[in-house]
Amino acid sequence: MSLIDFFIRHQREIGQATLEHIWLVGISMLLAVAIGVPLGIIVTRHPWLSKPILGGANIAETIPSLALFGFLLPVPWLGARADRLVITALMLYALLPIIRNTSTGISSVNVAVREAARGMGMTENQILFQVELPLSVPTILAGVRVATVLTIGIATIAAAVGAGGLGEFIFRGLAMVNDQLILAGAIPAAALALLADFILSLLERRLRPAQS
Amino acid sequence: MKVEPDPDSAREPIIEFRKAGYRLPNGQSLLEDVSVAVGRGETLALLGRSGAGKTTALKLINRMLDPSDGEILVEGKSTLRWDAIALRRHIGYVIQEIGLFPHFTIEQNVSLIPRLEQWPAERIRARVKELLSLVGLDPDTFSRRYPHELSGGQRQRVGIARALAVDPPILLMDEPFGALDPLTTGELLKEFQQLQRRLRKTIVMVTHDVGESLLLATRIALLDGGKLAGIFSAREFLSAQEPVAAAYVANFRMYEEAERANEPH
């Protein structure tokens, strides 16, 4: 049986697993943006917090994903369900690029622009929301793009703790020494990563403000 | 409403430095014991070398910096007792690099403070047109453009229009005509001189150019090494005995001498 036949025959399961995968990554990324962007802003406002915040995110980044799942397992509410556990872990991985790019984006706003904004009598919040963040959008989105591609890959390991997703096929295929089964997980995961990368890069280019 | 110039108004200070000084957190002094009063409608040039404290002095006026010693009064009130935001909106600010917002159109750049002050849309539109015409830019051509589509001189004009948006009585300018080619600088200077006569703003400008100071300023405050070396009218400056002023004048005269040397005999 060819690989194509296999995909056609199991299209419903593969589709189902792909949707689960998207769901895991999507929720994780939403949370990571919701937490990472404000943290990135805080880092630029209070430089002394930059070491602990970036350092913490850096450490999360270095923990092997299976070990991270293990660490989170005993945590009361999180460990109770596999999807909560996986979403938290994926979010932690996604944080670093988002925090870093947010703070880089804001601190690379032209000094003269910031000085003019302040000198004209804009408040700190007005400067942040009307000048610094709009000018940082492309850099922040680049961070989101890196983080998304990263989490799509790591999310395949979610199957190890029973959270579903495309990793199911990979793990089953490995156990049964079945290449087609492995590829049924690996190919859609890779395609998903490429697609996410493409869409986010389009968005990044569209939102790039006019630059001198 | 037309107000006749009050003979006393020239002496009523709108900005006053009282023994003002500024030190960096590490203790290094950038400005020391400066006392000078700027009358309403006057143009004061802060002249000096790089590092003489000109920009520091300017930034003390709109509270971009707080004085370490002494005080600065604006409209008779210490800057420290002003709300920084209210003070800055009371004062137009033009910096050398202009700092136009690259993601805003020219119209959005110029109308930023009126928008923050929640002027009605109609009034904002009319004001932008008025301001762009005032600085010699055709509103229909330039309103929708972005800063990067403009030349340096045009951007400088937009910077001036933006600083004048809410018609502040005071204008601070940090080398507003620097970083342009000499012909563009000349054009802008001449136009700005006319604008100045029409608008009668109180202007404090930082410059290292004697010609610019003589052309625009009613008085010149000479700064040297963070201290006030003297305050001169244009005529006083040209014949000043004060060594730094004399050095500036000698340097300025160098061009005249070059001109004379090349005259046909």
Side-chain angles (χ1 to χ4, degrees):
Chain A
M1 186 170 58
S2 80
L3 187 63
I4 295 168
D5 289 335
F6 183 89
F7 268 65
I8 293 171
R9 208 141 57 91
H10 296 279
Q11 56 174 303
R12 185 176 288 174
E13 289 112 303
I14 294 175
Q16 177 67 30
T18 307
L19 285 180
E20 277 172 17
H21 208 88
I22 293 174
W23 185 76
L24 288 173
V25 171
I27 301 288
S28 315
M29 288 309 301
L30 283 179
L31 287 172
V33 170
I35 296 171
V37 172
L39 282 179
I41 294 168
I42 289 173
V43 164
T44 62
R45 294 300 186 264
H46 308 282
W48 59 277
L49 279 172
S50 120
K51 273 242 165 79
I53 290 177
L54 283 173
N58 233 323
I59 290 171
E61 203 80 2
T62 58
I63 302 172
S65 36
L66 264 178
L68 188 57
F69 293 147
F71 286 146
L72 291 171
L73 208 53
V75 179
W77 183 81
L78 288 180
R81 276 180 52 180
D83 50 359
R84 284 180 198 160
L85 183 81
V86 168
I87 286 169
T88 309
L90 293 182
M91 181 206 75
L92 287 175
Y93 282 118
L95 275 180
L96 181 66
I98 295 177
I99 297 174
R100 205 174 35 202
N101 279 40
T102 303
S103 76
T104 310
I106 290 178
S107 33
S108 56
V109 169
N110 187 322
V111 182
V113 168
R114 202 192 318 257
E115 160 132 352
R118 217 161 75 86
M120 288 166 73
M122 291 180 92
T123 63
E124 279 299 315
N125 276 339
Q126 286 163 349
I127 296 175
L128 177 65
F129 289 107
Q130 299 188 33
V131 179
E132 291 177 319
L133 280 180
L135 288 174
S136 311
V137 163
T139 316
I140 296 174
L141 267 179
V144 171
R145 188 152 68 105
V146 170
T148 307
V149 173
L150 188 81
T151 36
I152 289 174
I154 297 175
T156 52
I157 301 168
V161 291
L166 290 161
E168 288 285 334
F169 294 113
I170 299 177
F171 278 102
R172 246 191 288 157
L174 283 171
M176 297 162 66
V177 202
N178 181 335
D179 287 349
Q180 283 180 335
L181 215 46
I182 294 175
L183 288 174
I187 291 175
L192 216 51
L194 286 174
L195 188 70
D197 190 61
F198 176 70
I199 292 173
L200 286 168
S201 70
L202 276 188
L203 200 62
E204 201 181 308
R205 213 166 318 149
R206 277 205 61 159
L207 292 177
R208 185 173 295 279
Q211 286 290 353
S212 49
Chain B
M1 191 177 69
K2 178 111 173 90
V3 182
E4 286 305 312
D6 170 3
D8 276 336
S9 70
R11 262 169 278 150
E12 175 203 340
I14 183 168
I15 302 167
E16 193 179 353
F17 284 74
R18 288 189 181 162
K19 296 184 176 300
Y22 181 77
R23 260 173 285 119
L24 291 176
N26 68 15
Q28 191 196 341
S29 173
L30 296 185
L31 199 70
E32 244 176 278
D33 195 27
V34 169
S35 296
V36 55
V38 187
R40 205 172 284 274
E42 190 183 358
T43 296
L44 181 77
L46 299 171
L47 180 69
R49 295 172 182 248
S50 311
K54 309 176 301 262
T55 298
T56 306
L58 196 76
K59 286 182 172 179
L60 288 170
I61 300 172
N62 65 351
R63 263 199 99 173
M64 295 293 276
L65 298 173
D66 286 342
S68 322
D69 303 295
E71 59 180 351
I72 294 93
L73 307 184
V74 174
E75 307 271 14
K77 191 161 104 182
S78 162
T79 51
L80 295 176
R81 285 176 46 227
W82 274 87
D83 170 59
I85 302 299
L87 178 69
R88 290 175 194 153
R89 292 200 186 162
H90 193 73
I91 298 176
Y93 191 41
V94 186
I95 55 178
Q96 182 179 2
E97 305 85 354
I98 324 165
L100 293 183
F101 303 117
H103 60 309
F104 283 175
T105 60
I106 300 311
E107 178 169 19
Q108 287 169 325
N109 263 289
V110 173
S111 66
L112 179 76
I113 295 302
R115 278 188 283 135
L116 294 180
E117 299 263 320
Q118 298 180 336
W119 287 17
E122 207 38 59
R123 186 174 167 210
I124 294 179
R125 216 165 307 138
R127 183 66 179 152
V128 170
K129 273 198 161 177
E130 186 187 348
L131 286 163
L132 289 181
S133 312
L134 194 69
V135 296
L137 294 174
D138 174 32
D140 296 326
T141 314
F142 288 97
S143 289
R144 306 248 164 254
R145 292 202 184 159
Y146 283 90
H148 74 275
E149 301 172 290
L150 269 56
S151 71
Q154 289 166 339
R155 265 182 258 169
Q156 204 53 273
R157 288 164 194 260
V158 176
I160 293 170
R162 184 173 69 171
L164 291 170
V166 292
D167 204 13
I170 302 172
L171 204 54
L172 304 182
M173 307 177 97
D174 196 344
E175 296 191 24
F177 309 108
L180 296 172
D181 66 87
L183 286 182
T184 310
T185 303
E187 275 167 32
L188 266 177
L189 271 174
K190 217 185 292 167
E191 281 179 47
F192 186 76
Q193 203 180 22
Q194 283 162 12
L195 201 64
Q196 190 186 20
R197 289 201 188 112
R198 255 164 80 190
L199 299 174
R200 302 189 165 280
K201 302 278 176 205
T202 306
I203 300 170
V204 180
M205 54 181 291
V206 162
T207 180
H208 50 231
D209 189 285
V210 174
E212 207 172 289
S213 309
L214 294 174
L215 209 56
L216 297 180
T218 44
R219 283 189 303 158
I220 298 169
L222 186 65
L223 286 167
D224 188 48
K227 293 192 183 110
L228 193 61
I231 302 174
F232 313 87
S233 70
R235 191 185 304 159
E236 286 164 359
F237 189 79
L238 287 173
S239 55
Q241 298 300 309
E242 200 283 325
V244 185
Y248 264 104
V249 173
N251 188 61
F252 182 61
R253 291 260 154 86
M254 191 168 73
Y255 297 102
E256 291 174 22
E257 278 156 29
E259 195 186 324
R260 238 173 292 138
N262 286 304
E263 269 169 14
H265 296 290

